[in-house]
Amino acid sequence: MGRVPLRVVVVGAGVTGLTCAVRLAEQGHRVDVLARDLPLETTSVVAAALWYPYKALPQDRVTAWSKVSYAVFDELARQDAGVRMLPGTEVLPRRTADPWWADAVPDLSRTHAPQGYADAWSFTAPVIDMPVYLRWLQARLAELGGTVTRTSLPALPAASDLGEEVVVNCSGLGSRLLAADREVRPARGQVVLVGGVSLDRWWLDAGGPTYVVPRTDHVVVGGTDGADDWSRTPSPETATEILHRATRLVPELAAATVVGHRVGLRPVRPAVRLEREGRVIHCYGQGGAGVTLSWGCAEEVRELVDQLS
């Protein structure tokens, strides 16, 4: 006997919320997204969006979610969705064992470390142009009959009031209020957008973090990791320091021209919260890995919703 389609309300229109909404709509559910910020206003649009499990735990679940997302992005790279599969290198200050998430990528291999570093590995990773991709997700949701509506919610609906409705909470930092969860906290990330330089691979030094991620029309250069910093205003001094670090890693950036500055607040939590609470499913706290975990988390959300249909 087939499952009964449900009406699902997804709270939050960042990459996690939209991906969950698309996955649920593909399953046949009636999905409506409610959000204070529309997709191109969310933290997700600021992300360099290099596939990489950053500031997200627990390791076993994160690896599994990341592996699912990797496979989906590999498929989406064949469509006009803003996704490319690009080679790149992570550099390390000392000899290091393979990363705990190594099983999630098919081609990780040791490589020669640049001067100033003791170790390095390379692999092919999805790189996502977030403005393009968020538009694609929203268009895909609309194609499936779903909606996105701007609204400010004072709280999540109480489970006892939902009836046949299901709520999926993907509100990120908003869960401090909506789910009364003080464990989710901001980690401020600032990036610089530069043009005038053409790169065909990404670079990462997670210790900074310092990352250089090419898009089709510019390069995203980061970054920062400001714990409990709520400021969304770019700092000129920080931008200068970011460019200095990044140029040491990728000397070609010396010829680049700054075309923009962005700040986003990552929703960091001791562990990603993905669980069902009655007819409410929580899916937030992905830290700096919202894009990386998005399709894996969405698939688990789909499984939890199916339990209710």
Side-chain angles (χ1 to χ4, degrees):
M1 189 173 183
R3 290 187 172 88
V4 177
L6 300 173
R7 179 169 186 258
V8 182
V9 173
V10 176
V11 180
V15 70
T16 299
L18 285 182
T19 308
C20 287
V22 166
R23 187 68 190 89
L24 292 168
E26 289 174 341
Q27 190 73 359
H29 299 295
R30 164 64 180 171
V31 184
D32 298 294
V33 177
L34 304 180
R36 184 194 66 184
D37 300 322
L38 296 180
L40 295 181
E41 302 165 352
T42 63
T43 291
S44 296
V45 80
V46 179
L50 166 69
W51 182 100
Y52 187 85
Y54 180 66
K55 295 189 79 68
L57 293 168
Q59 291 183 0
D60 56 346
R61 297 182 81 190
V62 166
T63 300
W65 293 327
S66 300
K67 189 170 186 176
V68 171
S69 295
Y70 189 105
V72 175
F73 285 128
D74 192 28
E75 289 295 322
L76 289 177
R78 299 169 175 82
Q79 303 182 33
D80 189 19
V83 180
R84 293 184 296 161
M85 302 297 291
L86 291 181
T89 300
E90 179 175 2
V91 298
L92 303 146
R94 61 188 65 84
R95 289 293 298 175
T96 305
D98 285 353
W100 51 265
W101 43 261
D103 287 346
V105 296
D107 66 344
L108 186 138
S109 61
R110 297 282 166 169
T111 189
H112 175 72
Q115 184 176 2
Y117 296 93
D119 203 358
W121 49 59
S122 291
F123 59 96
T124 301
V127 172
I128 297 93
D129 188 328
M130 288 308 292
V132 175
Y133 181 61
L134 290 170
R135 290 189 189 99
W136 182 87
L137 282 173
Q138 190 168 356
R140 174 64 176 150
L141 178 61
E143 178 186 359
L144 293 164
T147 67
V148 177
T149 302
R150 185 196 296 276
T151 187
S152 291
L153 297 173
L156 294 175
S160 59
D161 297 335
L162 294 179
E164 292 305 309
E165 190 173 83
V166 178
V167 169
V168 179
N169 173 28
C170 301
S171 60
L173 279 174
S175 292
R176 286 175 62 85
L177 171 66
L178 297 180
D181 186 350
R182 295 292 170 173
E183 286 196 294
V184 59
R185 310 168 74 93
R188 181 181 181 276
Q190 180 170 331
V191 300
V192 183
L193 310 182
V194 302
V197 59
S198 179
L199 301 175
D200 59 3
R201 61 186 299 115
W202 53 266
W203 290 86
L204 170 66
D205 176 355
T210 303
Y211 45 89
V212 178
V213 182
R215 297 264 181 88
T216 52
D217 57 354
H218 61 267
V219 178
V220 181
V221 181
T224 63
D225 185 17
D228 296 317
D229 186 343
W230 289 90
S231 174
R232 296 179 184 267
T233 302
S235 160
E237 295 79 13
T238 300
T240 298
E241 196 265 338
I242 289 171
L243 287 171
H244 177 70
R245 280 190 277 122
T247 302
R248 281 191 302 167
L249 182 59
V250 183
E252 295 95 320
L253 292 175
T257 302
V258 174
V259 298
H261 301 269
R262 300 287 187 273
V263 173
L265 304 180
R266 307 177 186 96
V268 173
R269 198 173 181 275
V272 176
R273 187 181 185 192
L274 205 172
E275 62 183 358
R276 183 165 68 87
E277 187 177 38
R279 300 187 72 84
V280 176
I281 295 168
H282 296 284
C283 181
Y284 63 87
Q286 284 85 352
V291 174
T292 302
L293 306 185
S294 56
W295 286 102
C297 286
E299 179 60 23
E300 188 164 324
V301 167
R302 193 273 305 165
E303 292 171 357
L304 292 173
V305 170
D306 281 352
Q307 294 174 9
L308 298 171
S309 63

